[in-house]
Amino acid sequence: MSEYRSSLILAASMLFICVSDSFGQNPVITNQFTADPAARVFDGRVYLYPSHDIPVTEGHGRPGWFCMEDYHVFSSDNLSDWTDHGVIISQANVPWVHPTSYALWAPDCISRNGRYYFYFPAPAKDTTFGRGFSIGVAVADKPSGPFVPLPEPMKNVHGIDPCLFVDKDGQAYLYWAARNFYVAKLKENMLELAAAPKMIEGLPGKGLKEGPSVFERKGIYYLTYPHVQDTTERLEYAVGDNPMGPFKVMGVIMDETRDCWTNQQSIVEFKNQWFLFYHHNDLSPHFDKNRAVRIDSLFFNEDGTIKKVTPTLRGVGLTDAAQRIQIDRYSSISNQGASIAFMDTLNIFGGWKTILGTAKAWIQYNGVDFGSTKFKSINVRALSHAGGTLQVRLNKVDGPIIALVEIPSGNEWNIIRAHVSGLETGVHNLVVSSTENKPVEVDWVSFE
């Protein structure tokens, strides 16, 4: 344990704080790639422990494959504003990890007895630990770290995608994937298995399955996982009355998408609402090994079955009207004349823009919080080569007009301020539309 304490200084040097470039839209983090989200609620705050995709460079990773060398942790108290607490584990600072593997895949974190245990898979440089992936543990006194990795991986655990679950009686369980799913009870110290692993039976035998994630609701234990039923992964679930099974396959949480071969999930309850965390390749549409975490609301039927989730760009949470509202993360969009594109195809972290190309083309962004402020003007960052006029309405496409914004002609982006009237306080949907057949590009809008 003295080695653990002395390592805190080293781990603390890896920690930094910054604010992510996202305000409650999907993807939730837009200044870096994130995937395989493990979401946890600690002390009234959501902590997000994803894997971290990075581009392959010479000597760093294998071309055309996943490349991951460290982990960040993010947190939020409203699912709209996310804080990046920086790197908590790096491949270079874990003694047992193979130094050229770049395979720090899907992790998880759990709280127990006032401490936080971060579990992560990686190939070991010493084959005496076993071939393939081992699973290591890092320990911290706070959910944001600093985390100190143990010098060796766990014994008798070989696979990927660790998941932790602590039952109501205090017993902790570790789940992982190695073609099949395995589960084992953990000792009180959270570092060792209390019994031999057990393979979970009754799950699909055909097609890849990975990423087990377990939670309990009203006495039902839910085992969720990605599964390749056809050509790409979809999110499925099974239920049981015991954390170790048996589990019965129930159905699909989210259908597969042809754009991204992988998906991975976690499900948490926060402020009396359940949420599905998952990933997609929004920030890398032509290479699905660079992914980005999304969040959407999840609902249950009365019998405890899960209602299928349709992925959205809008995501969850409210957006403060005084912030930059990225309307390209829309709730709905007109069938003709409206489209979304990257602001700069050479800088994907620069986000997207909305293109309203014809008269009556529109885009709707739900959940803007105007609070009790009497906003007097709207700011629109826009560009129009021929000039154009935007209408801003409340709540629906034919709702009351609160502003007309004249976009000057030119080839440069401008921030145009316009007067607003009839703007009510509270939470409203926002609709932005074009009045002419003159294309207008919109980066963001905000109120003041």
Side-chain angles (χ1 to χ4, degrees):
M1 193 59 66
S2 60
E3 180 181 356
Y4 164 78
R5 295 298 180 187
S6 64
S7 300
L8 283 174
I9 297 176
L10 173 62
S13 67
M14 300 166 58
L15 192 65
F16 62 92
I17 302 294
C18 66
V19 178
S20 71
D21 299 330
S22 190
F23 301 104
Q25 303 99 18
N26 282 330
V28 295
I29 309 299
T30 57
N31 59 5
Q32 61 188 275
F33 296 118
T34 53
D36 310 318
R40 295 290 182 181
V41 179
F42 298 133
D43 298 324
R45 192 172 180 88
V46 176
Y47 286 83
L48 175 61
Y49 301 88
S51 54
H52 182 201
D53 294 332
I54 60 174
V56 173
T57 57
E58 186 175 356
H60 295 77
R62 175 157 61 97
W65 194 237
F66 303 101
C67 185
M68 306 160 171
E69 67 176 351
D70 59 33
Y71 296 104
H72 288 237
V73 59
F74 304 83
S75 71
S76 174
D77 62 3
N78 59 10
L79 299 184
S80 291
D81 308 303
W82 290 88
T83 297
D84 181 353
H85 297 276
V87 175
I88 56 172
I89 292 291
S90 175
Q91 173 179 287
N93 294 95
V94 182
W96 59 267
V97 171
H98 196 291
T100 63
S101 58
Y102 297 94
L104 297 184
W105 287 8
D108 196 9
C109 188
I110 199 74
S111 173
R112 187 72 186 276
N113 299 326
R115 306 189 79 183
Y116 299 86
Y117 298 84
F118 180 79
Y119 297 74
F120 60 98
K125 61 184 177 183
D126 186 345
T127 57
T128 60
F129 292 133
R131 296 186 180 276
F133 279 78
S134 296
I135 291 178
V137 187
V139 186
D141 294 324
K142 297 188 299 182
S144 59
F147 282 89
V148 178
L150 299 185
E152 296 183 354
M154 298 184 71
K155 295 180 179 178
N156 302 318
V157 181
H158 301 288
I160 61 173
D161 303 340
C163 166
L164 283 300
F165 174 73
V166 178
D167 205 0
K168 295 176 181 177
D169 62 2
Q171 177 62 56
Y173 299 83
L174 173 66
Y175 303 79
W176 67 94
R179 295 189 179 178
N180 295 299
F181 292 162
Y182 294 85
V183 58
K185 291 183 178 180
L186 288 174
K187 291 183 178 180
E188 186 72 16
N189 64 13
M190 301 295 289
L191 306 176
E192 302 172 275
L193 301 186
K198 172 188 174 183
M199 188 179 82
I200 298 176
E201 299 181 351
L203 302 177
K206 181 181 179 181
L208 173 70
K209 59 183 182 293
E210 56 180 350
S213 182
V214 174
F215 68 94
E216 182 271 338
R217 177 182 179 271
K218 295 184 177 181
I220 299 175
Y221 297 88
Y222 294 80
L223 170 61
T224 68
Y225 53 92
H227 174 225
V228 180
Q229 175 68 25
D230 188 6
T231 57
T232 60
E233 290 183 340
R234 69 184 190 185
L235 301 182
E236 302 177 1
Y237 76 107
V239 301
D241 58 9
N242 187 288
M244 299 190 72
F247 290 94
K248 178 183 178 182
V249 174
M250 297 300 292
V252 176
I253 301 172
M254 178 175 285
D255 290 326
E256 65 176 14
T257 170
R258 301 290 179 178
D259 300 325
C260 188
W261 188 81
T262 66
N263 200 354
Q264 194 152 322
Q265 79 303 324
S266 60
I267 295 173
V268 297
E269 184 181 23
F270 181 60
K271 296 183 178 179
N272 300 315
Q273 172 62 50
W274 289 85
F275 296 96
L276 172 68
F277 288 69
Y278 62 105
H279 71 233
H280 192 61
N281 60 322
D282 298 87
L283 293 168
S284 180
H286 304 298
F287 182 60
D288 65 356
K289 306 303 185 291
N290 290 160
R291 299 150 299 173
V293 169
R294 290 177 166 190
I295 311 172
D296 276 302
S297 298
L298 179 139
F299 300 92
F300 296 84
N301 295 305
E302 290 186 5
D303 62 359
T305 55
I306 297 175
K307 295 183 178 181
K308 188 180 291 186
V309 177
T310 300
T312 75
L313 293 178
R314 174 59 184 88
V316 299
L318 299 176
T319 300
D320 188 334
Q323 293 181 343
R324 294 180 178 180
I325 305 167
Q326 306 289 347
I327 60 173
D328 49 75
R329 306 294 85 193
Y330 59 84
S331 302
S332 55
I333 192 170
S334 58
N335 293 328
Q336 294 182 338
S339 61
I340 305 300
F342 280 110
M343 290 286 294
D344 181 354
T345 56
L346 299 179
N347 177 25
I348 56 177
F349 296 132
W352 298 267
K353 60 186 176 183
T354 300
I355 303 172
L356 300 173
T358 61
K360 298 183 180 180
W362 57 268
I363 194 164
Q364 180 170 322
Y365 184 100
N366 293 350
V368 178
D369 188 3
F370 293 90
S372 58
T373 304
K374 298 289 186 180
F375 291 99
K376 298 180 180 179
S377 60
I378 183 172
N379 294 316
V380 179
R381 186 171 190 262
L383 178 154
S384 179
H385 298 294
T389 303
L390 298 177
Q391 287 182 341
V392 183
R393 298 174 181 263
L394 285 186
N395 298 323
K396 53 186 180 179
V397 176
D398 59 352
I401 298 174
I402 61 170
L404 290 174
V405 186
E406 300 290 338
I407 311 300
S409 60
N411 299 319
E412 301 292 333
W413 287 93
N414 292 287
I415 298 176
I416 302 96
R417 178 178 295 179
H419 175 71
V420 297
S421 61
L423 178 56
E424 300 177 358
T425 59
V427 177
H428 299 283
N429 303 333
L430 202 64
V431 180
V432 179
S433 62
S434 177
T435 64
E436 305 167 87
N437 288 315
K438 297 178 180 180
V440 177
E441 301 180 9
V442 181
D443 183 5
W444 50 260
V445 305
S446 67
F447 292 84
E448 63 179 26

